[in-house]
Amino acid sequence: KQEVTQIPAALSVPEGENLVLNCSFTDSAIYNLQWFRQDPGKGLTSLLLIQSSQREQTSGRLNASLDKSSGRSTLYIAASQPGDSATYLCAVFKAAGNKLTFGGGTRVLVKP
Amino acid sequence: DTEVTQTPKHLVMGMTNKKSLKCEQHMGHRAMYWYKQKAKKPPELMFVYSYEKLSINESVPSRFSPECPNSSLLNLHLHALQPEDSALYLCASSPSMTPSRTSGRTDTQYFGPGTRLTVL
């Protein structure tokens, strides 16, 4: 059974500091890994999708890496802003079952 | 248009009521999903429809009944719910639920804003 873990569960940083969010998964047989953002009481917004054949994806201040062999992904957010405050969820789309399995999320607070 | 819409935004119902949640997308996606999300927990998959046919049912109680009338619409019919069913119900869609046979690439899922359900 695929398990996805995100550490830390919560993170508070001053504005301008770089954010590093970690995600680990137990089964390397995945099609892709995705990072989502969720604001309180809202739906999920896809940030980055890394195919299983890729090692990283970048979009603006966001960069995500994927190491399938070690079952890890890291989301970097450069020069954080108060608007980055949200919960960040990673999810793996696994080969067996054709479904997304989510980690527990990291709640981020960027203080002005 | 990359939007998934859900109605209603909020729903309060009694345990004897029958209600429905609606989800709509006009992106031509052929896979649609229902998730349940409790407070401070990640979304949990409930159902997946692929080409308007139920493909995955994650052992969801029968008081939740999904329906896919056409390729753009997904409903979730609710009957005799319990207070513990109170949660945020999220709908999502994607071009396909399986990787492309030619490229092997997979697609992201686009999520709606959710329906906040409270069962009294």
Side-chain angles (χ1 to χ4, degrees):
Chain A
K1 179 184 175 184
Q2 177 72 272
E3 293 184 0
V4 183
T5 304
Q6 291 185 247
I7 295 174
L11 184 60
S12 180
V13 299
E15 181 177 3
E17 194 165 297
N18 296 332
L19 286 163
V20 180
L21 308 180
N22 297 303
C23 174
S24 62
F25 49 95
T26 55
D27 185 351
S28 63
I30 64 171
Y31 285 133
N32 68 44
L33 183 143
Q34 301 177 53
W35 284 93
F36 292 89
R37 168 185 171 140
Q38 186 173 32
D39 293 292
K42 304 292 186 183
L44 278 66
T45 300
S46 178
L47 298 175
L48 292 168
L49 182 153
I50 312 175
Q51 303 288 346
S52 63
S53 58
Q54 299 173 324
R55 294 192 64 86
E56 69 173 348
Q57 279 289 328
T58 298
S59 176
R61 294 185 294 114
L62 277 59
N63 174 276
S65 65
L66 174 63
D67 184 342
K68 273 181 52 178
S69 61
S70 65
R72 294 181 184 178
S73 176
T74 302
L75 176 66
Y76 300 90
I77 303 177
S80 62
Q81 304 168 358
D84 295 328
S85 299
T87 295
Y88 292 84
L89 295 151
C90 73
V92 296
F93 190 64
K94 61 180 186 178
N98 287 320
K99 65 178 186 179
L100 276 177
T101 300
F102 285 86
T106 295
R107 293 191 309 280
V108 171
L109 175 64
V110 181
K111 296 176 286 186
Chain B
D1 182 6
T2 58
E3 187 179 22
V4 176
T5 59
Q6 290 187 244
T7 55
K9 291 185 179 180
H10 303 275
L11 179 62
V12 179
M13 59 186 292
M15 290 190 285
T16 59
N17 292 156
K18 287 185 179 180
K19 297 287 184 182
S20 296
L21 309 184
K22 297 185 183 300
C23 173
E24 190 167 5
Q25 57 88 13
H26 295 287
M27 295 178 277
H29 291 174
R30 304 315 301 266
M32 297 186 76
Y33 312 79
W34 279 116
Y35 289 86
K36 174 182 177 179
Q37 187 178 26
K38 301 284 280 185
K40 298 188 177 181
K41 297 291 186 182
E44 297 178 348
L45 183 67
M46 300 174 71
F47 303 103
V48 182
Y49 273 81
S50 179
Y51 289 86
E52 300 158 51
K53 295 190 186 306
L54 183 63
S55 181
I56 295 177
N57 177 343
E58 289 289 289
S59 301
V60 179
S62 60
R63 57 186 184 268
F64 295 91
S65 176
E67 177 196 22
C68 190
N70 59 56
S71 60
S72 300
L73 292 173
L74 184 66
N75 299 321
L76 186 62
H77 302 297
L78 314 173
H79 174 54
L81 294 193
Q82 304 297 311
E84 59 264 30
D85 296 322
S86 299
L88 181 67
Y89 288 83
L90 295 165
C91 173
S93 72
S94 64
S96 171
M97 68 174 284
T98 56
S100 167
R101 292 190 177 188
T102 52
S103 68
R105 297 181 71 86
T106 49
D107 303 301
T108 190
Q109 292 183 18
Y110 294 82
F111 282 79
T115 294
R116 173 71 61 188
L117 175 67
T118 302
V119 182
L120 301 176

